[in-house]
Amino acid sequence: MTTAPLDAQFDLHPGPGDPHGGWLPRYGSAGMRTYVGRVLGAERTALAPSVQALATYIEDNEVVRRLANNACAECLAIVDMHSPRIGDVDALLHGFNTILTHAPGFIDGELIGLPFPALMADIGRTASGAALFRQPTVNLLMSNILNDWHAFLDSPASNVGFRVDGEQWLSATAKERYRFPLWSKDAGTPPYWKSWNAFLTRTFQHPAQARPVADPESNRTVVCPTDGAPVRDDVFRLGSRHCTLADLLATSVPQQQALVDYYRLVDLFEGGRVFQTTLGPYDYQHWWAPVHGEVLFDPFTIPGRFASGVIVIRTADHGHVCCIPLGMGAASSIVFDPAMRRGARVHKGQEMGMFNGGGASFALFFEKLPGKELLFLNADGVRCSRHSLSIGAQIGAWYVRK
């Protein structure tokens, strides 16, 4: 696969109606234009070390410098551009530097939840821009910048959107979207949460009431591992791209590849079923076990161009389930619960982990079993809606194949 960290953020959710799953407004909106203008017009300060490392690499590498300069020139030449223009490499670098201290927030009621893609919406459309951010070293340096941004989102400075009731994330509209009363908080008064990530990874005050686990004692049924919207059955999509399990399990870490090969994971799930959900900014960012079973091996996070984790659960009578959380860029956004270890017994609805920094998607791969068939049906026996699903709700049931 050749998906850069920012590419994954650009194209989180399929479909022309809402290509960013609610994390960004439509391309060219008033809020997007205003945000990009503010970033490019901000007072310039000394570059953070991670941004300076990218600047130095561009300056020292003739091919990369040419791509960067061409990307800016091509960006300026786009006829239908709706946002203020990134005129040169310095503007791009200082834009990154400015965003390092920006938390997701609202402009005129429009959520700018992915600041880097918002800035790069135009330059990313150019041929040279796409080639630039496919360069392996540029990719790595951009990951380091995103890691610094995630560190900021863990700091108290990032809770600016939670300091005044009635504004930003505490507006009546936003509160209704994420159902403010449901959640545990760090304080009883604003800013309520100590950081942006504390808000994003918030937990329910009463989990059993907010998200009851369907059919909790039976393994014949499967529950949804996340809040989110379902994607087409049996086709895994990363944005607009179809991916195979082999794509998702490809890793440069020898120990991880050894596990994939030892358990023959690609072959194990050949011909089986696939269920995928995509997450938005208002969704619960934790993931729960979809079945009862035993953890096959210590879960791991695959380094590289997008954040993906791997955990496999072996059930007693319905084969194996491969669970793959996908974050929005840096590998640090995948956080497994410490209880998820090789040989651990897990029960349906038990926490497996969370997205620290925001999740893009979650996929379940099911083993094909002789004489049995998994049908994706809810508790009423009908196909799961294309609208939002709740974590813990039934998404499927096993039947004897006739």
Side-chain angles (χ1 to χ4, degrees):
M1 296 182 65
T2 57
T3 307
L6 292 179
D7 292 336
Q9 293 191 29
F10 276 132
D11 199 13
L12 292 178
H13 297 249
D18 190 5
H20 296 287
W23 287 93
L24 283 176
R26 61 177 176 79
Y27 175 71
S29 73
M32 283 275 277
R33 295 197 305 270
T34 299
Y35 180 72
V36 174
R38 289 179 184 177
V39 170
L40 295 179
E43 181 181 356
R44 295 187 177 185
T45 59
L47 296 180
S50 59
V51 181
Q52 182 59 58
L54 177 61
T56 300
Y57 181 71
I58 292 174
E59 180 61 28
D60 292 346
N61 188 300
E62 181 180 354
V63 172
V64 174
R65 183 171 67 251
R66 186 185 306 115
L67 281 174
N69 288 328
N70 288 347
C72 293
E74 292 167 21
C75 183
L76 289 173
I78 296 176
V79 175
D80 63 343
M81 183 182 293
H82 297 289
S83 298
R85 299 171 183 245
I86 298 173
D88 54 40
V89 176
D90 278 349
L92 179 64
L93 292 169
H94 280 281
F96 291 161
N97 204 55
T98 296
I99 290 173
L100 283 178
T101 55
H102 283 192
F106 297 85
I107 294 180
D108 298 330
E110 296 183 349
L111 174 60
I112 309 297
L114 301 173
F116 286 94
L119 175 65
M120 299 179 64
D122 286 311
I123 201 168
R125 298 168 63 198
T126 68
S128 294
L132 173 67
F133 292 103
R134 282 198 298 266
Q135 293 285 319
T137 302
V138 173
N139 204 299
L140 175 62
L141 293 171
M142 283 302 305
S143 292
N144 292 339
I145 293 172
L146 288 175
N147 281 333
D148 281 355
W149 184 57
H150 286 167
F152 166 75
L153 297 181
D154 277 324
S155 73
S158 68
N159 71 7
V160 63
F162 302 95
R163 297 175 185 174
V164 181
D165 263 321
E167 297 182 6
Q168 291 289 321
W169 290 96
L170 300 182
S171 71
T173 300
K175 281 183 172 182
E176 184 177 357
R177 290 292 302 272
Y178 65 84
R179 302 183 67 185
F180 178 82
L182 289 180
W183 307 100
S184 295
K185 302 171 182 68
D186 298 327
T189 57
Y192 295 113
W193 288 279
K194 61 185 179 182
S195 68
W196 157 257
N197 270 340
F199 162 73
L200 190 68
T201 59
R202 63 198 181 275
T203 57
F204 294 109
Q205 291 191 55
H206 306 291
Q209 298 175 19
R211 297 292 190 273
V213 177
D215 199 14
E217 302 304 320
S218 172
N219 232 15
R220 177 178 167 268
T221 56
V222 179
V223 299
C224 195
T226 65
D227 279 357
V231 183
R232 179 181 174 185
D233 298 346
D234 296 324
V235 175
F236 180 85
R237 300 181 66 169
L238 180 61
S240 60
R241 295 170 289 278
H242 290 184
C243 301
T244 66
L245 183 59
D247 293 328
L248 296 172
L249 294 179
T251 174
S252 60
V253 179
Q255 296 90 335
Q256 295 178 355
Q257 190 61 54
L259 282 173
V260 172
D261 294 341
Y262 177 79
Y263 289 104
R264 299 175 59 87
L265 294 183
V266 175
D267 294 336
L268 181 63
F269 296 99
E270 179 68 27
R273 303 215 64 185
V274 182
F275 191 90
Q276 180 189 4
T277 55
T278 56
L279 290 81
Y282 306 100
D283 290 324
Y284 185 47
Q285 299 289 319
H286 295 241
W287 355 296
W288 293 354
V291 294
H292 303 294
E294 178 183 343
V295 179
L296 192 61
F297 49 77
D298 287 349
F300 56 84
T301 299
I302 297 175
R305 297 180 172 89
F306 61 95
S308 63
V310 181
I311 181 169
V312 177
I313 299 173
R314 175 170 51 202
T315 71
D317 44 10
H318 294 103
H320 296 76
V321 183
C322 182
C323 308
I324 299 186
L326 290 105
M328 293 199 303
S332 60
S333 65
I334 303 295
V335 182
F336 288 103
D337 189 277
M340 297 296 108
R341 290 289 180 262
R342 177 183 177 183
R345 299 294 302 176
V346 298
H347 58 266
K348 186 190 295 185
Q350 180 178 344
E351 175 140 339
M352 294 192 294
M354 65 179 180
F355 294 111
N356 185 12
S361 184
F362 200 101
L364 297 176
F365 289 80
F366 297 90
E367 187 178 356
K368 183 177 182 179
L369 300 176
K372 297 181 179 180
E373 183 175 10
L374 175 62
L375 300 180
F376 290 131
L377 304 172
N378 65 21
D380 296 322
V382 299
R383 288 178 61 84
C384 294
S385 168
R386 292 301 178 197
H387 302 292
S388 184
L389 294 172
S390 294
I391 193 171
Q394 180 178 317
I395 57 170
W398 285 96
Y399 293 87
V400 176
R401 185 180 292 115
K402 297 180 179 180

